[in-house]
Amino acid sequence: MTKTERITWLDETRIETEIAATAAGADKLRVREILDKAATLGGLSEDDVAVLCAVTDPDLAAELFHTAETVKTEIYGPRIVLFAPLYFSNICLNECVYCAFRRSNKELDRKILTMEEIEAETAALIDQGHKRLLLIGGEAFPKTGFQYLIDAIEHIYSVKRGRGEIRRINVNVAPLETDEFRRLKATGIGTYQLFQETYNRKVYEQMHPSGAKADFDWRVSVMDRAMAAGIDDVGIGPLFGLHDWRFEVLATMQHIAHLEDAFGVGPHTISVPRMEPAFGSDVSMAPPYAVSDFDFRKIIAILRIAVPYTGIILSTRENPEMRREAFRLGVSQISGGSRTNPGGYATPVEEQAAQFTRGDHRPLDEVVRDIAASGCVPSFCTACYRMGRTGADFMDLAKPGLIREMCGPNALSSFMEYMLDYGSEETCAAGEQAVAAEVATMEPKIARYSQTMMRKVREGKRDVYR
Ligand code: SAM
Ligand code: SF4
């Protein structure tokens, strides 16, 4: 494979200088100025973020967390969007040293799902109550090549189970060519997501010694190709644990600035995966830059206030306590009831073939109940991309906080649908309380919309959204 052209927007020297300049700690007054600025919902500069990354004083950190909670509530309200990953394969030609799926891990049971198995996984997820999937897998397609992915998406969308169906498929697969992205877009996907793992070129090369993924520039330029192909909702994120988290957060800011400059819109989501132990990977058992819980909370809070209009995704890598806390700090989307081994939903077995160890093993219903009990609203809404509210259109709505007016009622009606069709008695009890509490905080006009939409759902209508 030929090497990709070297990208120019990532300035490692600048990042190192910013980290060195704040090594003595964060100045209290400056931090408070930045937090005041963040509270106006306009986002932060890379320099501001560098200062916040240096906060170590617990009281100052508490102020940061409080500001993040305010910003999150102002823009997103209390809703938490739910999804599940669907692993189509654990076969991979790459050699990422932290991942159980890497090629040289001979102990792993390998599997790539057939279309029938993909339908069976989809059916199992629909029966849990899911409406939104993340299609994900190792970097290797079977004989049909890229067409496999297109077929898989069509098969997933074709599965209907009573009143249930998958209404949005997001995709996390190895970097594609622009033409392949065009074909992917035509299938009706939501977000294309990919993690950079680390933005530090040297560390990247050490962690990805062979395979197509060894080309740093090919990976870091992937969103340029996706956006050029018309996919305007893209999701980014580093894998925390490979390198200094402050470096990764600042580089993420540079990536966002680049996408905004080049395409007029930043990423739709940022994921915050933290490294977990993976079968057969020594690196994953002792990450070179393990991130503490305290720093992890700061990462979420800083990203929340730095790019307030961008969704933040947290997976089942984290345990229930951290996930609960993360709602307040700024996370807006979580996975629930997940399996990271191909075929794991239709045939739950010992997860030897999984990608990494999960921190949250609860079934979806329990996750949903927990969200409702913690004062948030679980949302299964998939309205935005079907209404064409993507890319810059979404950002225009999100930036001034208007998205709440759409998303609030949509969250409630989709949650009502979940409760009626899939919710356990206990979850419905917690859910009805959460719904009533949320409606009580809404402006009268929005509350009326919400009540009308939920009434339609109670009367038997499905997929009610604005
Ligand atoms: N194979 C493609 C790739 O690497 O881009 C698709 C996604 S891969 C299945 C999903 C993500 O899992 C990777 O991007 C990586 O960040 C994450 N991952 C790999 N090993 C992990 C581990 N031990 N703990 C947590 N996340 C891990
Ligand atoms: Fe393959 Fe992705 Fe795992 Fe790397 S992270 S080994 S590319 S599945």
Side-chain angles (χ1 to χ4, degrees):
M1 182 180 164
T2 52
K3 279 272 176 195
T4 320
E5 205 177 310
R6 193 179 173 102
I7 55 128
T8 52
W9 53 261
L10 184 61
D11 188 344
E12 293 194 10
T13 313
R14 178 175 170 186
I15 297 175
E16 301 294 2
T17 310
E18 283 163 345
I19 293 175
T22 52
D27 173 65
K28 246 187 198 170
L29 284 178
R30 178 84 185 98
V31 170
R32 288 194 175 130
E33 257 173 42
I34 295 170
L35 295 182
D36 286 346
K37 175 178 165 188
T40 64
L41 310 181
L44 297 176
S45 69
E46 189 182 329
D47 290 346
D48 296 334
V49 168
V51 173
L52 295 183
C53 285
V55 169
T56 49
D57 171 43
D59 293 336
L60 211 48
E63 291 179 37
L64 164 66
F65 299 155
H66 177 72
T67 308
E69 186 174 358
T70 313
V71 168
K72 168 155 192 247
T73 308
E74 188 58 37
I75 292 189
Y76 293 87
R79 76 205 157 84
I80 300 288
V81 173
L82 284 141
F83 73 97
L86 193 168
Y87 277 77
F88 59 84
S89 160
N90 60 6
I91 300 175
C92 191
L93 298 172
N94 289 318
E95 205 37 63
C96 315
V97 297
Y98 47 83
C99 180
F101 293 177
R102 72 186 188 287
R103 184 179 196 160
S104 65
N105 190 6
K106 301 289 180 221
E107 303 295 309
L108 195 81
D109 296 335
R110 303 284 175 166
K111 185 174 179 58
I112 183 155
L113 300 185
T114 62
M115 290 304 141
E116 290 68 34
E117 287 169 327
I118 284 184
E119 286 186 9
E121 287 294 271
T122 307
L125 284 164
I126 293 173
D127 290 348
Q128 282 186 31
H130 278 294
K131 299 283 184 274
R132 178 188 290 243
L133 295 188
L134 176 67
L135 186 60
I136 183 166
E139 184 163 0
F141 296 128
K143 279 199 206 88
T144 47
F146 176 68
Q147 185 60 37
Y148 172 87
L149 195 63
I150 304 289
D151 293 343
I153 292 168
E154 282 167 5
H155 279 262
I156 293 170
Y157 276 139
S158 74
V159 178
K160 309 283 171 206
R161 305 273 295 174
R163 294 171 148 188
E165 68 206 337
I166 295 303
R167 298 177 186 151
R168 177 175 177 133
I169 302 174
N170 297 332
V171 173
N172 182 328
V173 295
L176 301 170
E177 308 272 357
T178 311
D179 269 354
E180 292 172 328
F181 276 124
R182 281 200 192 97
R183 289 175 61 197
L184 194 61
K185 181 177 165 63
T187 62
I189 64 156
T191 308
Y192 172 73
Q193 184 190 88
L194 195 76
F195 304 154
Q196 179 52 36
E197 321 300 14
T198 174
Y199 285 93
N200 184 292
R201 193 177 280 273
K202 237 195 221 126
V203 176
Y204 186 93
E205 281 163 12
Q206 290 159 4
M207 297 294 161
H208 307 96
S210 66
K213 193 163 167 179
D215 185 343
F216 178 87
D217 294 286
W218 177 247
R219 191 166 183 96
V220 83
S221 59
V222 66
M223 297 312 172
D224 296 66
R225 295 189 296 281
M227 288 181 122
I231 297 181
D232 49 6
D233 280 353
V234 299
I236 63 171
L239 173 60
F240 289 102
L242 293 175
H243 188 53
D244 185 339
W245 66 267
R246 296 167 302 173
F247 184 99
E248 306 296 9
V249 168
L250 291 165
T252 301
M253 291 300 292
Q254 292 189 0
H255 199 172
I256 293 167
H258 162 68
L259 294 176
E260 284 177 346
D261 282 352
F263 301 98
V265 61
H268 186 66
T269 55
I270 302 175
S271 295
V272 287
R274 186 160 58 153
M275 195 175 299
E276 290 296 323
F279 174 69
S281 157
D282 292 342
V283 170
S284 71
M285 306 291 169
Y289 282 83
V291 175
S292 69
D293 285 353
F294 179 60
D295 286 341
F296 192 61
R297 289 186 196 103
K298 283 193 291 183
I299 290 171
I300 297 172
I302 291 170
L303 288 172
R304 174 67 300 139
I305 64 178
V307 275
Y309 54 87
T310 300
I312 299 183
I313 301 181
L314 191 73
S315 74
T316 53
R317 290 174 180 85
E318 300 300 329
N319 65 31
E321 293 71 36
M322 178 53 80
R323 276 154 62 90
R324 218 169 281 134
E325 218 179 315
F327 304 156
R328 286 192 300 105
L329 295 173
V331 161
S332 53
Q333 269 192 46
I334 64 164
S335 46
S338 306
R339 296 274 172 163
T340 65
N341 56 319
Y345 298 108
T347 322
V349 284
E350 183 62 32
E351 286 183 69
Q352 189 267 6
Q355 197 191 10
F356 47 78
T357 318
R358 288 171 294 135
D360 186 347
H361 296 262
R362 298 170 299 168
L364 178 66
D365 189 70
E366 218 176 303
V367 175
V368 168
R369 190 185 325 146
D370 195 26
I371 295 174
S374 66
C376 296
V377 175
S379 172
F380 292 86
C381 178
T382 56
C384 270
Y385 90 108
R386 293 189 293 150
M387 294 289 282
R389 293 194 293 261
T390 60
D393 291 340
F394 174 84
M395 295 304 171
D396 285 347
L397 278 169
K399 276 182 178 161
L402 280 177
I403 206 80
R404 262 185 94 176
E405 295 191 10
M406 308 277 185
C407 299
N410 287 345
L412 290 176
S413 68
S414 66
F415 181 34
M416 184 58 65
E417 196 173 322
Y418 172 84
M419 286 196 282
L420 294 171
D421 294 346
Y422 307 98
S424 66
E425 213 174 290
E426 295 145 282
T427 299
C428 292
E432 290 290 356
Q433 274 189 23
V435 168
E438 177 54 9
V439 171
T441 67
M442 287 174 151
E443 283 172 30
K445 190 179 80 179
I446 312 290
R448 270 198 308 280
Y449 283 140
S450 304
Q451 298 284 22
T452 307
M453 289 164 67
M454 285 190 286
R455 195 192 64 239
K456 287 183 184 162
V457 176
R458 287 188 210 272
E459 287 168 359
K461 219 168 171 273
R462 290 292 171 268
D463 204 14
V464 178
Y465 62 88
R466 307 176 66 204

